[in-house]
Amino acid sequence: MSDIPTLHSQARKLILSVGSGISRLESGSRRTRRDAGNGASSSRYADEELQKQLQQLQKISFDLESLWRMQSMSGKNTSSMNIWKRRIDQIIDETSALERAMDSCNAKYMSWKAEEAQRQELLHRRNGMSVTNFDVEAEGKERIRRSKQVAEEAYQTGLSVLSSMAQQRDVLKSAHRKVLDVLNTIGMSDSVLRIAERRIAVDKLIAYGGMAVITLVLVILYYWYG
């Protein structure tokens, strides 16, 4: 298992990388439709890479907290462990902020794609058939209505993803608590064994001491009455 400084260094690098990637995604969402269309596939590839990095960052954050708890229970330098605790809490907070920013970018991208598809379809229909201005306006309103519906569905999908991530986080926290319970149980067992060992040693001393005293008394009585 890696030590805390190594994991912390990896986490800081991932935070910088993911944060920079999210900034690029947000900048790309403000480009013109032509530029966005030309870079759509590369943008999605970058999005997938960011998701992988974010998942790796979440795992490292969990490992950092677990490792800190184990080393704290082992009685290492308290002052040093307190400093690392603050740094690890900062990593966890920044990871949560990046998760929210990534979810927001995904929701915006899905909404933009739905609206862009509707606009392209409307332009195609305009170029392919002769319609009156009234028909164009009515069709445009219908497309806008559908775009809003698609955006709402995308939003609901985003909420479902967030709910699933929250459930996974709860499962990880539950497993974490079970691990800590096991570690606490092991620590108590060690304490009980040490107490038992000391008690056995004291009992031996008492027994040997008693035997020595009895032997001495018998010797004295033998010489006294002999």
Side-chain angles (χ1 to χ4, degrees):
M1 179 181 291
S2 300
D3 56 8
I4 289 180
T6 300
L7 289 177
H8 182 270
S9 176
Q10 294 175 1
R12 293 305 313 171
K13 291 179 181 179
L14 284 172
I15 286 174
L16 291 176
S17 178
V18 174
S20 176
I22 291 176
S23 297
R24 287 195 299 270
L25 284 180
E26 291 176 343
S27 299
S29 66
R30 293 190 291 268
R31 293 175 185 170
T32 62
R33 182 171 55 198
R34 175 181 58 81
D35 293 336
N38 290 338
S41 60
S42 61
S43 176
R44 284 296 89 192
Y45 174 76
D47 191 1
E48 292 176 359
E49 288 297 313
L50 283 178
Q51 290 285 9
K52 292 179 181 179
Q53 291 181 357
L54 185 57
Q55 291 174 359
Q56 184 180 2
L57 178 59
Q58 292 168 342
K59 181 180 182 302
I60 291 177
S61 299
F62 178 79
D63 291 342
L64 269 173
E65 187 174 13
S66 300
L67 188 57
W68 179 86
R69 290 184 181 277
M70 292 176 63
Q71 293 188 6
S72 296
M73 291 175 60
S74 66
K76 288 194 173 183
N77 189 305
T78 304
S79 176
S80 175
M81 296 309 296
N82 288 337
I83 294 175
W84 278 115
K85 175 60 176 173
R86 290 192 293 271
R87 294 179 179 177
I88 292 171
D89 287 342
Q90 183 180 2
I91 291 293
I92 294 173
D93 292 340
E94 292 184 16
T95 300
S96 298
L98 290 174
E99 289 174 10
R100 293 191 294 270
M102 193 66 184
D103 292 335
S104 176
C105 283
N106 286 334
K108 289 178 181 178
Y109 177 80
M110 294 173 68
S111 176
W112 176 84
K113 288 293 290 183
E115 292 177 1
E116 183 66 15
Q118 295 296 334
R119 283 196 295 268
Q120 291 296 332
E121 183 179 354
L122 179 58
L123 288 174
H124 178 73
R125 286 173 178 260
R126 280 183 172 180
N127 294 331
M129 57 179 63
S130 176
V131 294
T132 64
N133 291 335
F134 177 79
D135 291 335
V136 171
E137 183 178 357
E139 189 174 6
K141 289 181 179 180
E142 177 64 18
R143 298 305 173 195
I144 292 174
R145 185 190 67 80
R146 292 182 181 179
S147 296
K148 290 181 178 180
Q149 182 178 358
V150 172
E152 179 65 23
E153 293 175 355
Y155 177 74
Q156 293 298 329
T157 300
L159 289 179
S160 298
V161 172
L162 288 176
S163 177
S164 176
M165 292 180 65
Q167 292 176 358
Q168 293 177 1
R169 188 178 294 111
D170 290 339
V171 172
L172 288 175
K173 287 182 178 179
S174 177
H176 190 193
R177 285 194 295 269
K178 290 181 179 179
V179 170
L180 292 178
D181 290 341
V182 172
L183 290 175
N184 288 331
T185 302
I186 293 174
M188 292 178 63
S189 299
D190 290 340
S191 299
V192 172
L193 288 175
R194 287 194 294 270
I195 292 173
E197 289 174 354
R198 288 197 296 269
R199 182 59 181 272
I200 291 172
V202 171
D203 290 344
K204 286 182 178 180
L205 289 175
I206 293 173
Y208 292 151
M211 293 170 62
V213 170
I214 292 172
T215 302
L216 180 60
V217 170
L218 291 174
V219 170
I220 294 173
L221 290 175
Y222 175 79
Y223 283 105
W224 182 267
Y225 293 101

